């Protein structure tokens, strides 16, 4: 008993340094992980699909895919997992940690890059380093997918307009026969720099021990 | 008689302006003086009128050709004169180049008020009590607050609402008790008549003076352009602390007669606060929903749409004032609640009207308030006491600083994006007091509050201090501290897409993590809104429109209108001029792939000819018409109603057009250089009515839709045309609509064009296509 406890603490220490969460947060997330995986070691896509609250989310599929995307594991691998363990789960969630007060400018820039990279990976499904027009159209279509036929028709026009926006911001003077291949990561950063991702893309992780968590309902 | 204390500059126009101002002052002094002494006014009239006056004294008087009857028009005349004075002042300040950048307008206006008051005094007249509390609270304050509430940026407000509430409620309470309490202590120590000041009176004074004033904050902060977060913090605080002020004021006023406040009263006070605040918000929300619901049915009476907005808001304010609830919060919630729905329902013109009327009224109100503040200062009555006044000023500053620092310490524990020291400094420094404090004090009755004049003097001193000293120095300080400024760039479609994407992403992550956070509830609210509320309050198709599409349409419309206003394309108003066009984005398809991708059957030559004929015919009608506005003919804009349909059609059109391009068939002729008149006229070509009219009589329904396609990147032209072709005028008064003699003219509309030329163009898409595509550019971000 004692040894397992110390072992799990050590294991948590490892994760603390890797992901930056605090031990309490990791404990809570571990509970949640076990809930989702029905007490198994790994979770698969079906487990995540079965979360009822996600049913209304138009980009559900992309979010779930992001968890299984190897690119989000900070390990330079590509492809996707079939199932992920707790560590991978945490790694993906670590992209959503809030910024701390004492952050230098370089830290902020690094974090912003990381978060933007996460978003970029979500859009760039074929992993060729650019978001092509087709991929971007898919993104907009998914966003409007819960809005019926009006959405589908408008999606194309919106995506085209958006793509044009990216191109004109980044490569303003292209000759008529040049072809803009797709949004590269630098261009992506450029167009979204006004949004200040480092302060917007985060959620609050619970520090408190929520032992009575039930099916996603937190009582804290 | 009137001594000019303003330094005259050498410039002719400035001298003229000053002359005008002085004449006006002279004119205003006399009528104002007429309140108390009608006889003098008669005698001061010019000689021309003397004849008429004389004629009154003769028994059989000849018919009075010219007579004076000032009493009849006195009140409206004076009001108009004051407003005119205020507006001319505003004009004047901006004519003097460097002044407006150094000194905030509010300071200048107060100085003007002082001068006017001084003139009146010097003229021996009684200064009119212009800053009458009723006038202030019922007429001058509501437009400013409505303007603020209607255009309140909801997203940053909601994201920071916790912080704002903390500052507004806890901060104001702290200020009130700290100032009141310490002032009482100081007064007790002082061996002077201040000893008689009771604790409750001091607390009342503290509560009056502790509230940050929205008018002053708006006036100063609007000129310094700091970042959104700080702006919304200070401004939101100034709006929400009204509830606290109202409760404290009534509490202490009620009980200062009784002489003591018990615990029960304190408890009732807290309940009262909740009632006042929530009640105000509720009243405002109810009226807001009523307004939104009414606007759903106004499609046939567009002219009075803005009136509903103003009336419902004003009634919300008055209703909540009736119950002693917080009128300011009612106005804010009314404006904020009704805005998304009303804007979806009303016409573009009404939207512009509302915006400009609100800005105009609030601007005039603000100007008047500051001028009256100056006049009222001269009026008095004053009772100066060095100790009291200086201690008040110092305590205000100290209390504010301690309050902000202490609260931020607590708030930062709960905030993700913490407030830095710089932020805290700006928040503390931006705590300006203004006319609301003065008016509240004015309302106090002299019998109950013997020290009323002392209070007034102190309040005026604090107001002057904050507005002048803090108002003038905040701008250089902001520069010095390098506080982040407001981001001026407009939101682009990419940002909008990603904002939405981020919202959904974060909601999803929260759901996966299993806790119901901020995003989850926001998402729930949005879904509720979409499912139930929008259906009730928004007319027609717009109720189902998702936000992204609404944003996109709004953006397109804005750019189309910009294009029209800039002269029909002669100057493309784009921020980054670029030569990117759709062609650069579209994947180039090889010839081999074409047949597989064709969605349309290839057009035969015969069909082409028909198409051209139809287009020619349609394009020959309508063009720019002379617009004569008559409120009865300002009917429902066809483009408004048809806009959605048209925009949908436009999507189809662009699709179609691309397919057509791929088939290497051109229905269009090369585009003219942007500033040729033919180009302009061509753009104004098709009449929106032509669409609906034509569709029945045509055997080429698809091509009908394509009416716009020749001018391919057409949304610009379409919307353009709608703008011009709004009036349902007779189409018969067609002059040579399209006199496109030049070799260039968009849209195959030229009747004089012959087949060959067209074919030549058909086979030579090349560079022209790019130029044509360029028109796509303007309405894209």
């Amino acid at each position: 008993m004692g040894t397992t406890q110390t072992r799990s603490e050590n294991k948590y220490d490892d994760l603390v340094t890797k992901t930056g969460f605090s031990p309490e947060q990791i404990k809570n997330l571990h509970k949640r992980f076990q809930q989702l995986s029905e007490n198994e070691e790994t979770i698969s896509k079906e487990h995540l699909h079965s979360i009822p609250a996600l049913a209304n989310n138009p980009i559900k599929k992309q979010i779930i895919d992001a968890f299984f995307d190897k690119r989000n594991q900070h390990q330079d691998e590509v492809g996707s997992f079939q199932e992920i363990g707790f560590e991978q789960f945490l790694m993906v969630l670590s992209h959503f940690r809030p910024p701390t007060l004492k952050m230098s400018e370089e830290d902020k820039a690094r974090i912003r890059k990381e978060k933007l990279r996460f978003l970029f990976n979500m859009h760039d499904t074929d992993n060729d380093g650019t978001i092509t027009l087709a991929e971007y159209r898919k993104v907009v279509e998914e966003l409007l997918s819960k809005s019926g036929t009006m959405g589908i028709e408008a999606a194309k026009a919106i995506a085209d307009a958006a793509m044009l926006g990216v191109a004109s911001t980044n490569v303003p003077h292209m000759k008529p026969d040049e072809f803009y291949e797709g949004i590269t990561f630098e261009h992506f950063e450029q167009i979204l720099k006004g949004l200040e991702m480092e302060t917007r893309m985060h959620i609050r992780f619970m520090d408190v021990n929520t032992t009575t968590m039930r099916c996603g309902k937190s009582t804290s | 008689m009137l001594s000019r204390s303003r330094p005259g500059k050498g410039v002719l126009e400035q001298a003229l302006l000053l002359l005008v101002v002085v004449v006006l002052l002279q004119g205003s002094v006399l009528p104002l003086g007429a309140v108390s002494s009608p006889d003098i006014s008669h005698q001061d009239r010019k000689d021309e009128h003397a004849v008429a006056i004389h004629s009154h004294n003769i028994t059989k008087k000849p018919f009075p050709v010219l007579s004076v009857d000032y009493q009849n028009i006195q009140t409206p005349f004076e009001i108009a004169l004051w407003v005119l004075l205020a507006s001319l002042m505003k004009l004047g300040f901006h004519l003097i180049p460097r002044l407006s950048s150094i000194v905030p307008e509010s300071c200048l206006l107060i100085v003007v008020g002082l001068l006017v008051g001084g003139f009146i005094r010097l003229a021996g007249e009684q200064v009119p009590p212009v800053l009458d509390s009723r006038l202030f609270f019922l007429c001058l304050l509501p437009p400013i607050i409505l303007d603020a509430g209607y255009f309140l940026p909801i997203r940053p407000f909601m994201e920071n609402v916790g912080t704002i509430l903390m500052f507004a409620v806890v901060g104001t309470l702290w200020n009130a008790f700290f100032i009141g309490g310490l002032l009482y202590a100081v007064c007790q120590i002082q061996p002077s008549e201040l000893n008689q000041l009771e604790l409750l009176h001091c607390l009342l004074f503290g509560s009056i003076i502790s509230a940050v004033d929205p008018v002053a904050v708006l006036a100063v902060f609007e000129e310094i352009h700091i970042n959104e977060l700080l702006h919304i913090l200070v401004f939101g605080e100034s709006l929400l602390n009204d509830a606290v002020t109202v409760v404290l004021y009534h509490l202490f006023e009620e009980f200062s007669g009784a002489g003591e406040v018990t615990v029960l009263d304190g408890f009732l006070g807290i309940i009262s606060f909740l009632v006042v605040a929530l009640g105000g918000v509720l009243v405002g929300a109810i009226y807001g929903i009523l307004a939104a619901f009414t606007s759903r049915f106004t499609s046939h009476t567009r002219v009075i749409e803005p009136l509903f907005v103003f009336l419902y808001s004003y009634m919300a304010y008055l209703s909540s004032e009736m119950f002693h609830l917080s009128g300011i919060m009612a106005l804010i919630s009314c404006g904020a609640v009704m805005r998304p729905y009303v804007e979806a329902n009303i016409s573009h013109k009404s939207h512009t009207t509302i915006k400009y009327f609100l800005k105009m009224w609030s601007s005039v109100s603000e100007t008047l308030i500051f001028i009256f503040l100056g006049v009222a200062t001269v009026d008095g009555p004053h009772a100066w006491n060095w100790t009291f006044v200086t201690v008040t000023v110092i305590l205000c500053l100290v209390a504010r600083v301690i309050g902000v620092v202490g609260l931020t310490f607590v708030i930062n524990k709960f905030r993700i994006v913490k407030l830095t020291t710089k932020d805290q400094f700006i928040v503390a420094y931006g705590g300006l007091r203004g006319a609301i404090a003065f008016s509240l004090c004015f309302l106090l009755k002299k019998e109950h509050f013997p020290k009323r004049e002392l209070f007034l003097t102190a309040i005026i001193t604090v107001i002057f201090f904050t507005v002048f000293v803090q108002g003038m120095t905040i701008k250089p300080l902001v520069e010095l501290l390098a506080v982040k400024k407001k981001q001026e760039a407009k939101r682009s479609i990419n940002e909008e897409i990603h904002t939405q994407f981020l919202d959904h992403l974060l909601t999803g992550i929260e759901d996966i993590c299993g806790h119901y956070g901020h995003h989850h509830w926001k998402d729930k609210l949005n879904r509720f809104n979409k499912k139930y509320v929008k259906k009730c309050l928004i007319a027609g198709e717009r109720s189902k429109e998702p936000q992204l599409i609404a944003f996109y349409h709004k953006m397109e419309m804005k750019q189309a209108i910009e294009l029209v206003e800039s002269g029909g394309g002669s100057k493309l108003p784009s921020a980054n001029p670029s030569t990117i066009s759709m062609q650069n984005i579209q994947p180039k398809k090889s010839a081999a792939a074409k047949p597989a991708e064709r969605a349309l059957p290839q057009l035969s030559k015969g069909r082409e000819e028909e198409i051209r004929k139809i287009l020619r015919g349609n394009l020959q009608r309508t063009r720019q018409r002379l617009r004569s506005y008559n409120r009865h003919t300002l009917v429902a804009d066809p483009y408004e109603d048809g806009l959605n349909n048209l925009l949908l059609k436009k999507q189809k059109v662009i699709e179609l057009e691309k397919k057509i391009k791929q088939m290497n068939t051109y229905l269009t002729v090369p585009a003219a250089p942007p500033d040729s008149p033919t180009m302009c006229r061509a753009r104004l070509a098709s009449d929106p009515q032509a669409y609906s009219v034509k569709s029945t009589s045509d055997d080429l329904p698809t091509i009908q839709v394509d009416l716009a396609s020749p001018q391919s990147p057409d949304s610009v032209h379409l919307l353009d045309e709608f703008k011009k072709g709004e009036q349902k005028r007779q189409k018969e008064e067609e002059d040579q609509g399209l006199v496109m003699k030049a070799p260039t003219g968009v849209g195959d509309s030229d009747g004089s064009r012959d087949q060959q030329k067209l074919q030549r163009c058909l086979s030579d898409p090349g560079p022209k296509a790019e130029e044509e595509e360029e028109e796509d550019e303007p309405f894209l971000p």
Side-chain angles (χ1 to χ4, degrees), chain A residues 32 56 136 157 164 172 174-175 177-180 204 216, chain B residues 494 498 504 512 514-515 527 578-579 584 586 588 651 780:
Chain A
R32 177 65 178 164
N56 288 314
Y136 209 23
L164 253 177
M174 284 179 84
K175 299 205 203 47
D177 48 358
E178 279 180 52
F179 178 56
Y180 184 66
R204 197 189 288 279
Chain B
N494 279 300
H498 281 97
H504 288 299
I512 291 180
H515 85 268
R527 265 186 287 128
S578 84
T579 53
N584 297 106
Q586 287 289 348
K588 294 216 182 87
Q651 313 304 335
L780 295 162

mmCIF file of all heavy atoms in Angstrom, chain A residues 32 56 136 157 164 172 174-175 177-180 204 216, chain B residues 494 498 504 512 514-515 527 578-579 584 586 588 651 780:
data_model
loop_
_atom_site.group_PDB
_atom_site.id
_atom_site.type_symbol
_atom_site.label_atom_id
_atom_site.label_comp_id
_atom_site.label_asym_id
_atom_site.label_seq_id
_atom_site.Cartn_x
_atom_site.Cartn_y
_atom_site.Cartn_z
ATOM 1 N N ARG A 32 -11.170 12.074 -13.208
ATOM 2 C CA ARG A 32 -12.027 12.259 -14.374
ATOM 3 C C ARG A 32 -11.671 11.263 -15.465
ATOM 4 O O ARG A 32 -12.548 10.685 -16.111
ATOM 5 C CB ARG A 32 -11.873 13.704 -14.888
ATOM 6 C CG ARG A 32 -12.651 14.010 -16.147
ATOM 7 C CD ARG A 32 -14.129 13.920 -15.923
ATOM 8 N NE ARG A 32 -14.872 14.271 -17.122
ATOM 9 C CZ ARG A 32 -16.144 14.009 -17.323
ATOM 10 N NH1 ARG A 32 -16.822 13.374 -16.387
ATOM 11 N NH2 ARG A 32 -16.745 14.366 -18.430
ATOM 12 N N ASN A 56 -23.806 18.668 -28.345
ATOM 13 C CA ASN A 56 -24.239 19.892 -29.021
ATOM 14 C C ASN A 56 -23.104 20.690 -29.621
ATOM 15 O O ASN A 56 -23.328 21.750 -30.172
ATOM 16 C CB ASN A 56 -24.951 20.794 -28.013
ATOM 17 C CG ASN A 56 -26.289 20.237 -27.648
ATOM 18 O OD1 ASN A 56 -27.025 19.830 -28.527
ATOM 19 N ND2 ASN A 56 -26.584 20.196 -26.372
ATOM 20 N N TYR A 136 -9.707 24.667 -44.785
ATOM 21 C CA TYR A 136 -10.311 25.817 -44.126
ATOM 22 C C TYR A 136 -11.817 25.815 -44.334
ATOM 23 O O TYR A 136 -12.591 26.142 -43.434
ATOM 24 C CB TYR A 136 -9.689 27.104 -44.665
ATOM 25 C CG TYR A 136 -9.664 28.247 -43.693
ATOM 26 C CD1 TYR A 136 -9.708 28.032 -42.323
ATOM 27 C CD2 TYR A 136 -9.595 29.561 -44.122
ATOM 28 C CE1 TYR A 136 -9.664 29.075 -41.436
ATOM 29 C CE2 TYR A 136 -9.561 30.612 -43.239
ATOM 30 C CZ TYR A 136 -9.599 30.356 -41.899
ATOM 31 O OH TYR A 136 -9.557 31.395 -41.010
ATOM 32 N N ALA A 157 -18.514 30.623 -48.946
ATOM 33 C CA ALA A 157 -18.181 32.022 -49.212
ATOM 34 C C ALA A 157 -17.363 32.609 -48.075
ATOM 35 O O ALA A 157 -16.400 33.353 -48.288
ATOM 36 C CB ALA A 157 -19.456 32.831 -49.417
ATOM 37 N N LEU A 164 -8.887 34.696 -48.477
ATOM 38 C CA LEU A 164 -8.408 35.891 -49.165
ATOM 39 C C LEU A 164 -7.823 36.880 -48.174
ATOM 40 O O LEU A 164 -6.816 37.524 -48.418
ATOM 41 C CB LEU A 164 -9.566 36.562 -49.909
ATOM 42 C CG LEU A 164 -9.530 36.395 -51.398
ATOM 43 C CD1 LEU A 164 -10.740 37.027 -52.024
ATOM 44 C CD2 LEU A 164 -8.286 37.060 -51.943
ATOM 45 N N PRO A 172 0.753 40.408 -49.804
ATOM 46 C CA PRO A 172 -0.169 41.332 -50.452
ATOM 47 C C PRO A 172 -0.040 41.443 -51.959
ATOM 48 O O PRO A 172 -0.998 41.732 -52.629
ATOM 49 C CB PRO A 172 0.132 42.684 -49.816
ATOM 50 C CG PRO A 172 1.165 42.474 -48.816
ATOM 51 C CD PRO A 172 1.643 41.081 -48.862
ATOM 52 N N MET A 174 0.627 39.470 -54.870
ATOM 53 C CA MET A 174 0.876 38.284 -55.683
ATOM 54 C C MET A 174 0.451 38.564 -57.109
ATOM 55 O O MET A 174 -0.546 39.225 -57.352
ATOM 56 C CB MET A 174 0.039 37.114 -55.169
ATOM 57 C CG MET A 174 0.593 36.511 -53.899
ATOM 58 S SD MET A 174 -0.443 35.186 -53.342
ATOM 59 C CE MET A 174 0.174 33.870 -54.320
ATOM 60 N N LYS A 175 1.197 38.023 -58.016
ATOM 61 C CA LYS A 175 0.815 38.194 -59.406
ATOM 62 C C LYS A 175 -0.387 37.305 -59.691
ATOM 63 O O LYS A 175 -0.646 36.352 -58.978
ATOM 64 C CB LYS A 175 1.978 37.798 -60.314
ATOM 65 C CG LYS A 175 3.207 38.655 -60.090
ATOM 66 C CD LYS A 175 4.038 38.652 -61.364
ATOM 67 C CE LYS A 175 5.489 38.994 -61.058
ATOM 68 N NZ LYS A 175 6.036 38.248 -59.932
ATOM 69 N N ASP A 177 -1.009 35.018 -61.679
ATOM 70 C CA ASP A 177 -0.913 33.584 -61.918
ATOM 71 C C ASP A 177 -0.197 32.846 -60.800
ATOM 72 O O ASP A 177 0.014 31.649 -60.877
ATOM 73 C CB ASP A 177 -0.205 33.335 -63.255
ATOM 74 C CG ASP A 177 1.070 34.170 -63.335
ATOM 75 O OD1 ASP A 177 1.347 34.924 -62.386
ATOM 76 O OD2 ASP A 177 1.773 34.057 -64.354
ATOM 77 N N GLU A 178 0.148 33.569 -59.775
ATOM 78 C CA GLU A 178 0.735 32.867 -58.635
ATOM 79 C C GLU A 178 -0.370 32.239 -57.829
ATOM 80 O O GLU A 178 -1.491 32.706 -57.822
ATOM 81 C CB GLU A 178 1.497 33.846 -57.745
ATOM 82 C CG GLU A 178 2.876 34.162 -58.244
ATOM 83 C CD GLU A 178 3.551 35.143 -57.298
ATOM 84 O OE1 GLU A 178 3.568 34.853 -56.089
ATOM 85 O OE2 GLU A 178 4.015 36.192 -57.757
ATOM 86 N N PHE A 179 0.011 31.226 -57.127
ATOM 87 C CA PHE A 179 -1.015 30.499 -56.403
ATOM 88 C C PHE A 179 -0.672 30.442 -54.924
ATOM 89 O O PHE A 179 0.435 30.079 -54.551
ATOM 90 C CB PHE A 179 -1.117 29.099 -57.006
ATOM 91 C CG PHE A 179 -2.109 28.247 -56.306
ATOM 92 C CD1 PHE A 179 -3.418 28.679 -56.171
ATOM 93 C CD2 PHE A 179 -1.746 27.050 -55.761
ATOM 94 C CE1 PHE A 179 -4.351 27.918 -55.510
ATOM 95 C CE2 PHE A 179 -2.674 26.275 -55.108
ATOM 96 C CZ PHE A 179 -3.971 26.704 -54.980
ATOM 97 N N TYR A 180 -1.610 30.803 -54.123
ATOM 98 C CA TYR A 180 -1.385 30.789 -52.683
ATOM 99 C C TYR A 180 -1.705 29.395 -52.173
ATOM 100 O O TYR A 180 -2.858 29.004 -52.096
ATOM 101 C CB TYR A 180 -2.283 31.838 -52.033
ATOM 102 C CG TYR A 180 -2.078 31.983 -50.556
ATOM 103 C CD1 TYR A 180 -0.870 32.464 -50.053
ATOM 104 C CD2 TYR A 180 -3.064 31.651 -49.661
ATOM 105 C CE1 TYR A 180 -0.685 32.602 -48.701
ATOM 106 C CE2 TYR A 180 -2.882 31.794 -48.301
ATOM 107 C CZ TYR A 180 -1.689 32.273 -47.836
ATOM 108 O OH TYR A 180 -1.498 32.424 -46.493
ATOM 109 N N ARG A 204 -10.289 26.903 -16.563
ATOM 110 C CA ARG A 204 -9.887 26.838 -15.169
ATOM 111 C C ARG A 204 -9.834 25.383 -14.739
ATOM 112 O O ARG A 204 -10.796 24.639 -14.904
ATOM 113 C CB ARG A 204 -10.930 27.582 -14.337
ATOM 114 C CG ARG A 204 -10.473 27.936 -12.966
ATOM 115 C CD ARG A 204 -11.667 28.461 -12.208
ATOM 116 N NE ARG A 204 -12.065 29.782 -12.672
ATOM 117 C CZ ARG A 204 -11.479 30.900 -12.292
ATOM 118 N NH1 ARG A 204 -10.481 30.877 -11.470
ATOM 119 N NH2 ARG A 204 -11.909 32.052 -12.748
ATOM 120 N N GLY A 216 -19.420 14.290 -14.714
ATOM 121 C CA GLY A 216 -19.160 15.610 -15.267
ATOM 122 C C GLY A 216 -19.732 16.733 -14.446
ATOM 123 O O GLY A 216 -19.483 17.891 -14.690
ATOM 124 N N ASN B 494 -11.346 36.391 -40.134
ATOM 125 C CA ASN B 494 -10.550 35.308 -39.564
ATOM 126 C C ASN B 494 -10.622 35.321 -38.053
ATOM 127 O O ASN B 494 -10.738 34.287 -37.399
ATOM 128 C CB ASN B 494 -9.085 35.447 -39.993
ATOM 129 C CG ASN B 494 -8.883 34.908 -41.382
ATOM 130 O OD1 ASN B 494 -9.127 33.744 -41.632
ATOM 131 N ND2 ASN B 494 -8.469 35.750 -42.283
ATOM 132 N N HIS B 498 -12.192 32.394 -35.667
ATOM 133 C CA HIS B 498 -11.445 31.737 -34.610
ATOM 134 C C HIS B 498 -11.965 32.040 -33.229
ATOM 135 O O HIS B 498 -11.789 31.234 -32.320
ATOM 136 C CB HIS B 498 -9.957 32.073 -34.738
ATOM 137 C CG HIS B 498 -9.318 31.247 -35.794
ATOM 138 N ND1 HIS B 498 -9.117 31.693 -37.074
ATOM 139 C CD2 HIS B 498 -8.903 29.967 -35.782
ATOM 140 C CE1 HIS B 498 -8.586 30.722 -37.784
ATOM 141 N NE2 HIS B 498 -8.444 29.666 -37.027
ATOM 142 N N HIS B 504 -16.173 27.281 -28.911
ATOM 143 C CA HIS B 504 -16.641 25.892 -28.930
ATOM 144 C C HIS B 504 -15.575 24.950 -28.399
ATOM 145 O O HIS B 504 -15.871 23.999 -27.676
ATOM 146 C CB HIS B 504 -17.019 25.480 -30.350
ATOM 147 C CG HIS B 504 -18.275 26.121 -30.818
ATOM 148 N ND1 HIS B 504 -19.480 25.928 -30.197
ATOM 149 C CD2 HIS B 504 -18.517 26.964 -31.839
ATOM 150 C CE1 HIS B 504 -20.405 26.628 -30.819
ATOM 151 N NE2 HIS B 504 -19.858 27.267 -31.821
ATOM 152 N N ILE B 512 -15.083 17.842 -21.433
ATOM 153 C CA ILE B 512 -14.261 16.647 -21.281
ATOM 154 C C ILE B 512 -13.661 16.592 -19.890
ATOM 155 O O ILE B 512 -13.580 15.524 -19.275
ATOM 156 C CB ILE B 512 -13.173 16.602 -22.361
ATOM 157 C CG1 ILE B 512 -13.817 16.367 -23.730
ATOM 158 C CG2 ILE B 512 -12.155 15.541 -22.064
ATOM 159 C CD1 ILE B 512 -12.847 16.313 -24.866
ATOM 160 N N GLY B 514 -14.889 17.785 -17.371
ATOM 161 C CA GLY B 514 -15.953 17.474 -16.450
ATOM 162 C C GLY B 514 -16.330 18.556 -15.472
ATOM 163 O O GLY B 514 -17.011 18.283 -14.505
ATOM 164 N N HIS B 515 -15.935 19.764 -15.713
ATOM 165 C CA HIS B 515 -16.486 20.729 -14.769
ATOM 166 C C HIS B 515 -17.202 21.848 -15.516
ATOM 167 O O HIS B 515 -16.825 22.245 -16.602
ATOM 168 C CB HIS B 515 -15.411 21.271 -13.832
ATOM 169 C CG HIS B 515 -14.638 22.412 -14.382
ATOM 170 N ND1 HIS B 515 -13.472 22.258 -15.062
ATOM 171 C CD2 HIS B 515 -14.851 23.732 -14.339
ATOM 172 C CE1 HIS B 515 -13.012 23.417 -15.405
ATOM 173 N NE2 HIS B 515 -13.819 24.347 -14.975
ATOM 174 N N ARG B 527 -27.310 28.803 -26.476
ATOM 175 C CA ARG B 527 -28.222 27.860 -27.112
ATOM 176 C C ARG B 527 -29.656 28.181 -26.768
ATOM 177 O O ARG B 527 -30.560 28.078 -27.603
ATOM 178 C CB ARG B 527 -27.876 26.421 -26.726
ATOM 179 C CG ARG B 527 -26.970 25.800 -27.773
ATOM 180 C CD ARG B 527 -26.701 24.358 -27.550
ATOM 181 N NE ARG B 527 -25.808 24.126 -26.459
ATOM 182 C CZ ARG B 527 -26.066 23.291 -25.467
ATOM 183 N NH1 ARG B 527 -27.182 22.605 -25.459
ATOM 184 N NH2 ARG B 527 -25.208 23.133 -24.492
ATOM 185 N N SER B 578 -3.924 45.227 -52.008
ATOM 186 C CA SER B 578 -3.195 44.062 -52.461
ATOM 187 C C SER B 578 -3.810 43.584 -53.750
ATOM 188 O O SER B 578 -4.934 43.932 -54.083
ATOM 189 C CB SER B 578 -3.241 42.960 -51.415
ATOM 190 O OG SER B 578 -4.426 42.232 -51.554
ATOM 191 N N THR B 579 -3.045 42.826 -54.413
ATOM 192 C CA THR B 579 -3.534 42.384 -55.714
ATOM 193 C C THR B 579 -4.016 40.960 -55.652
ATOM 194 O O THR B 579 -4.168 40.300 -56.650
ATOM 195 C CB THR B 579 -2.412 42.483 -56.753
ATOM 196 O OG1 THR B 579 -1.280 41.783 -56.227
ATOM 197 C CG2 THR B 579 -2.034 43.919 -57.003
ATOM 198 N N ASN B 584 -5.958 33.636 -57.055
ATOM 199 C CA ASN B 584 -4.759 33.169 -56.374
ATOM 200 C C ASN B 584 -5.082 32.092 -55.360
ATOM 201 O O ASN B 584 -4.223 31.361 -54.942
ATOM 202 C CB ASN B 584 -4.065 34.322 -55.632
ATOM 203 C CG ASN B 584 -3.599 35.388 -56.580
ATOM 204 O OD1 ASN B 584 -4.178 36.449 -56.649
ATOM 205 N ND2 ASN B 584 -2.566 35.080 -57.332
ATOM 206 N N GLN B 586 -7.954 29.961 -55.529
ATOM 207 C CA GLN B 586 -8.579 28.772 -56.077
ATOM 208 C C GLN B 586 -7.538 27.833 -56.608
ATOM 209 O O GLN B 586 -6.627 28.248 -57.288
ATOM 210 C CB GLN B 586 -9.497 29.174 -57.237
ATOM 211 C CG GLN B 586 -10.760 29.855 -56.793
ATOM 212 C CD GLN B 586 -11.679 28.886 -56.125
ATOM 213 O OE1 GLN B 586 -11.479 27.690 -56.190
ATOM 214 N NE2 GLN B 586 -12.682 29.425 -55.482
ATOM 215 N N LYS B 588 -5.790 25.606 -58.989
ATOM 216 C CA LYS B 588 -5.875 25.591 -60.453
ATOM 217 C C LYS B 588 -6.236 24.181 -60.887
ATOM 218 O O LYS B 588 -5.576 23.224 -60.523
ATOM 219 C CB LYS B 588 -4.523 25.962 -61.060
ATOM 220 C CG LYS B 588 -4.138 27.382 -60.770
ATOM 221 C CD LYS B 588 -3.409 27.966 -61.963
ATOM 222 C CE LYS B 588 -2.972 29.374 -61.664
ATOM 223 N NZ LYS B 588 -1.674 29.412 -60.998
ATOM 224 N N GLN B 651 -24.261 33.675 -53.433
ATOM 225 C CA GLN B 651 -23.397 32.515 -53.245
ATOM 226 C C GLN B 651 -23.510 31.618 -54.450
ATOM 227 O O GLN B 651 -22.521 31.169 -55.025
ATOM 228 C CB GLN B 651 -23.791 31.707 -52.016
ATOM 229 C CG GLN B 651 -24.025 32.498 -50.754
ATOM 230 C CD GLN B 651 -22.841 33.337 -50.397
ATOM 231 O OE1 GLN B 651 -21.720 33.026 -50.767
ATOM 232 N NE2 GLN B 651 -23.080 34.412 -49.694
ATOM 233 N N LEU B 780 -13.636 42.252 -48.909
ATOM 234 C CA LEU B 780 -13.020 41.216 -48.114
ATOM 235 C C LEU B 780 -12.033 41.865 -47.165
ATOM 236 O O LEU B 780 -11.471 42.881 -47.484
ATOM 237 C CB LEU B 780 -12.317 40.216 -49.026
ATOM 238 C CG LEU B 780 -13.355 39.500 -49.877
ATOM 239 C CD1 LEU B 780 -12.705 38.856 -51.071
ATOM 240 C CD2 LEU B 780 -14.071 38.457 -49.064
#
